[in-house]
Amino acid sequence: MITRGEMPLVRRVCVLAWAGAAVSWELSTPGRLVPSLATCAAFLLLATGCALHIRRGLLGELRRSQEIAGAAQRALLRPLPGRIGGLTAAAAQLSASRGAAVGGDLYEAVPTAYGIRVVIGDVRGHGLPALGAAAAVLGAFREGAYDEPSLAGVLRRMERALGRHVRDRAESEPAAAEEFVTVLLLQIAGDGTLLALNCGHPRPYLLRSAPVPEHCAARSRGAVPDPAPRTPAGLNSSARPAFEGRVQAAPGSTQVLPLAGGETLPPLGVVPVPADVWPHDCGELRPGETLFLYTDGAEDARDRAGRFFDLAGVLAEEAAATPTRLVAGVHAALLRHTGGRLTDDIALLVLRDDRS
C-alpha cells in the first residue's frame, strides 16, 4: 500500500519511466534520424512540463501544510505578550524534531486576580509525540490559573487533565501509561512575593545586582569613607577585617542565583499529588530583577566532547541584556555549543520586573 508521503516519489518515477520508454522506442524505430530526434525532444519537453506541474502542486501542498502546522503550533504554545502586569516577558522554544516549532516543552504566563501565574514544564520524551501531553497540561493551566484561588488547585487540575490524556492514549498505545511531566508553577504577587510548587523541574535562576559594600555605599552618598583598616602593631599582617569577604561579586555586577525553594514533589503522573500540598515562599522579585526559567534540555545540552552547557556562565555574561536579547543570546549560545544538534526539546522563559 502506498502512503501519502510516498506519492511524490511514485509520481516522479512514473514520469521519468514514461519519458525514458518513449525516447527509447522512438530511437529504436527504423527511420530518419532528424525526425526521430525531433520527436524525442517533444517527448522530453512534455515530460518536463508534467514534472514542473507536479512540482508546483507539491510545493502548494507543502505551503498549506506549513500554514496549518504553524497555526496549530501557535495555538498550543502561543507567543507571550511583551508586557504582563508590569513584567517584561520573552520566551523561546527549541524542538529536537526537525521542522517542528514546538515539542514536549511548555510554558505560559497569565495575569490573574491572584497575581501573575507562570508555568513551565517538560513532557517525558521529546518532539511531536509529546505534543498531546503538553496540550493537556497547558490547557488545564490556562483554565485553572484564573479560577483556582491557590496554586495547589491549579496543580490538581493539571494532574487530572494529564491523567485523562494518559488513560485515553493507553488504550491504543500501552507505552503511554508511563508518560509524566515535570512542572514548575510560580505566582508573582503585586508586591513581588514569589510562591512556587515544583514537581521535579529545574529551579529557575534569579538575576539580581550584587550588593554594594558599606564603604562603597558611603562614598556614593557623598560621605567621607572610612580610612582603610590598618594592622595594629604586634598583630599578624595576615589578619583580615571582619567586613571583608561579605560581598562575593564586584559592585554593580549581576549575581546569578538558583531561586530558593522548599520541597520538590515528584513529576506529575508518577504519584498522586499529596492532599495537603502547599506552595513554598521563594522570597520576592524586586524591581530590576530577572527570573530565568528553563527546561532541563538547556543544562543537559552537550558539545562534541561531551561537555555540558554552562547555562549560569552564559547568563552572567548576558545579564545586562533585555529579556528578548537574553533569550536570543542563550538560544545562540546553545546552538553554538551543540553545533545545532539538539537531542532534547528546550524552553526558555524570562520575566523581568520593570515596576517602579
Side-chain angles (χ1 to χ4, degrees):
M1 179 178 178
I2 299 175
T3 63
R4 184 178 180 86
E6 296 172 340
M7 283 301 296
L9 179 61
V10 173
R11 292 172 184 170
R12 196 174 300 127
V13 170
C14 290
V15 170
L16 293 177
W18 174 77
V23 172
S24 300
W25 175 81
E26 185 64 30
L27 290 178
S28 62
T29 302
R32 291 199 229 175
L33 181 60
V34 174
S36 297
L37 291 177
T39 305
C40 290
F43 275 122
L44 289 175
L45 288 174
L46 180 61
T48 301
C50 291
L52 290 175
H53 176 73
I54 292 173
R55 183 176 182 273
R56 191 177 298 112
L58 292 176
L59 288 176
E61 285 185 30
L62 178 61
R63 280 193 296 269
R64 286 189 293 273
S65 299
Q66 289 176 335
E67 290 173 0
I68 295 171
Q73 291 170 349
R74 287 190 296 272
L76 172 62
L77 206 60
R78 58 195 181 197
L80 292 180
R83 299 276 297 180
I84 305 176
L87 304 184
T88 303
Q93 161 83 356
L94 291 78
S95 177
S97 295
R98 184 177 180 183
V102 296
D105 290 355
L106 56 102
Y107 59 81
E108 183 64 287
V110 293
T112 71
Y114 314 102
I116 298 171
R117 286 180 166 174
V118 184
V119 66
I120 187 166
D122 185 1
V123 180
R124 175 180 175 267
H126 63 268
L128 297 178
L131 278 179
V137 172
L138 203 50
F141 170 81
R142 285 171 176 162
E143 181 180 350
Y146 294 100
D147 301 336
E148 295 290 342
S150 69
L151 281 184
V154 180
L155 185 64
R156 291 193 182 93
R157 282 206 186 193
M158 295 164 63
E159 181 188 35
R160 290 195 295 269
L162 178 63
R164 289 192 296 267
H165 167 77
V166 169
R167 284 193 298 272
D168 293 342
R169 276 196 63 194
E171 295 179 0
S172 57
E173 303 176 40
E178 300 178 359
E179 205 159 48
F180 61 85
V181 184
T182 66
V183 166
L184 174 68
L185 281 176
L186 283 178
Q187 179 174 295
I188 308 172
D191 60 356
T193 302
L194 287 168
L195 297 178
L197 276 174
N198 192 338
C199 295
H201 199 81
R203 292 183 181 181
Y205 283 106
L206 178 63
L207 282 61
R208 62 171 35 150
S209 298
V212 180
E214 295 177 3
H215 63 280
C216 292
R219 184 179 294 109
S220 65
R221 292 193 299 267
V224 178
D226 295 334
R230 298 179 181 178
T231 304
L235 291 183
N236 191 326
S237 60
S238 62
R240 299 290 183 182
F243 63 82
E244 284 193 13
R246 289 183 185 176
V247 180
Q248 302 272 331
S253 63
T254 301
Q255 291 179 320
V256 180
L257 309 169
L259 186 67
E263 177 187 4
T264 299
L265 301 170
L268 288 184
V270 176
V271 296
V273 174
D276 58 346
V277 65
W278 290 97
H280 302 288
D281 187 351
C282 300
E284 60 180 346
L285 182 66
R286 304 173 198 147
E289 296 181 345
T290 301
L291 272 177
F292 186 90
L293 295 81
Y294 62 97
T295 54
D296 59 4
E299 287 190 326
D300 292 344
R302 303 192 186 199
D303 61 7
R304 292 179 180 272
R307 294 185 295 263
F308 288 102
F309 181 66
D310 182 15
L311 179 58
V314 174
L315 289 177
E317 295 175 0
E318 302 281 347
T322 63
T324 301
R325 290 184 178 274
L326 180 58
V327 168
V330 175
H331 184 175
L334 274 165
L335 294 179
R336 285 195 304 269
H337 183 78
T338 61
R341 300 180 309 276
L342 297 176
T343 58
D344 194 7
D345 300 327
I346 298 173
L348 309 173
L349 173 60
V350 177
L351 297 168
R352 188 179 68 189
D353 190 343
D354 285 333
R355 295 174 287 199
S356 59

